[in-house]
Amino acid sequence: MVTIHGQKLSGEELLPVYLNSASTVAELCDIFQQQLETETSKPSRLSLALEGQALRMGDTLTEANLKDGDLVHLILRPDAWILRQVDLDSGRLVRISDGASWEGHSLLLRTEEDFAAPGWDICPNLEHDFAVEATVKLDEWPGPDYQGSIISQHGHGTGWELRCGGPGVNCVFTTTDGGHNEHMLPLKRKVGFWHHLCMVYDAGRHTLTLFADGVAGEPKPIRGTFVPYKLGFTEIGRNPEWTDRGVVGRIRNASVWPRGLDVEDMQQRAAEQIAEAEAEGATLEGTATEAASFESAPRTSAGF
């Protein structure tokens, strides 16, 4: 039996947890998470870190090098799976293809086959809210409306997806009753501009709403039971089943909200996300220009 102590980053300590060394980090995390729950609220997504290094959920306590009496830090995240943050927590949780790379906080995709694959297996429950969002800047515009996958867990008539293509933005949410529930919004200034895209399922109203730059389309009624993608893969920048259905450009703050998202200030949220993306782009461009100017500047003799 191993005793593990938990501490928030604020310094607050939780009750120690007693587990067998063959137990997993995920089991340890669940017990700490239960301590954080109250009658009125549940905690945000939780990660555990040992001496500054995030622990992989699937590892046993032995594999994670956790010993009796060790102290782990609890890292509370917003109630969402955010690509960049997961990658910062542990790069081993996110597979990034050879052609994709980070450019600041944006995932840079140079070809339609580039993508990132976080370890997310998210199956929406139609009894609960659900949302997907991303801030996107495309260098090329997909022709067919089904081609440009932004965030996808969709294939062969099942799953969910947020995508660009054709006249604008499109999303898919497949159920047993009604098949493909697709929703589309037109989009202006498609190439070379940042756009905030979001699809939101409202369990109370049983509707799916698509937002483009904070502006909502008509809510679409959804019925039936959600049909999860059998392989369970979520990919950013490409469809996991049809690998030619990707995008070329940048994706920032790709997020999945398993418990939904507040849409009351969606226009403000979109404006803030776009402003942050533009500001970071200007900073990165300025840094690159300064570096190029430094490299091309004539070297002067020091006189020695």
Side-chain angles (χ1 to χ4, degrees), residues 129-161:
D129 293 349
F130 177 75
V132 178
E133 71 170 332
T135 308
V136 179
K137 180 181 181 181
L138 298 188
D139 299 328
E140 299 175 9
W141 189 256
D145 56 15
Y146 60 82
Q147 197 78 14
S149 299
I150 304 298
I151 307 179
S152 180
Q153 193 185 88
H154 181 258
H156 289 296
T158 184
W160 53 264
E161 185 171 29

Side-chain angles (χ1 to χ4, degrees), residues 181-193:
N181 294 281
E182 297 195 29
H183 193 5
M184 177 171 281
L185 286 177
L187 194 66
K188 297 179 180 179
R189 303 195 312 166
K190 299 174 184 175
V191 174
F193 297 91

Side-chain angles (χ1 to χ4, degrees), residues 40-237:
T40 58
S41 67
K42 293 185 178 181
S44 305
R45 180 169 62 88
L46 188 63
S47 300
L48 301 180
L50 177 66
E51 297 179 351
Q53 296 295 318
L55 302 178
R56 294 187 298 180
M57 292 296 180
D59 283 354
T60 65
L61 302 191
T62 300
E63 291 170 337
N65 295 319
L66 282 170
K67 301 178 291 296
D68 186 49
D70 274 348
L71 172 71
V72 295
H73 282 101
L74 281 62
I75 306 172
L76 277 72
R77 303 296 184 201
D79 185 21
W81 298 93
I82 303 173
L83 178 67
R84 176 67 171 174
Q85 195 59 63
V86 171
D87 190 63
L88 289 174
D89 285 348
S90 172
R92 289 170 292 186
L93 291 178
V94 178
R95 180 167 61 97
I96 298 180
S97 72
D98 292 339
S101 62
W102 285 112
E103 185 182 61
H105 287 265
S106 299
L107 182 69
L108 177 61
L109 306 167
R110 296 179 178 85
T111 75
E112 291 181 355
E113 296 185 352
D114 299 341
F115 68 99
W120 303 345
D121 183 6
I122 299 174
C123 296
N125 182 338
L126 295 190
E127 296 180 358
H128 301 283
D129 293 349
F130 177 75
V132 178
E133 71 170 332
T135 308
V136 179
K137 180 181 181 181
L138 298 188
D139 299 328
E140 299 175 9
W141 189 256
D145 56 15
Y146 60 82
Q147 197 78 14
S149 299
I150 304 298
I151 307 179
S152 180
Q153 193 185 88
H154 181 258
H156 289 296
T158 184
W160 53 264
E161 185 171 29
L162 178 65
R163 60 198 184 192
C164 288
V169 187
N170 192 10
C171 67
V172 176
F173 201 84
T174 309
T175 68
T176 56
D177 183 7
H180 267 41
N181 294 281
E182 297 195 29
H183 193 5
M184 177 171 281
L185 286 177
L187 194 66
K188 297 179 180 179
R189 303 195 312 166
K190 299 174 184 175
V191 174
F193 297 91
W194 284 101
H195 293 283
H196 179 262
L197 314 177
C198 189
M199 59 180 281
V200 178
Y201 171 72
D202 186 325
R205 295 184 175 88
H206 302 286
T207 57
L208 180 67
T209 303
L210 182 61
F211 292 81
D213 297 334
V215 178
E218 190 69 23
K220 185 179 183 69
I222 300 291
R223 295 179 178 83
T225 303
F226 176 75
V227 182
Y229 179 41
K230 293 181 180 179
L231 298 181
F233 299 137
T234 300
E235 289 190 1
I236 314 295

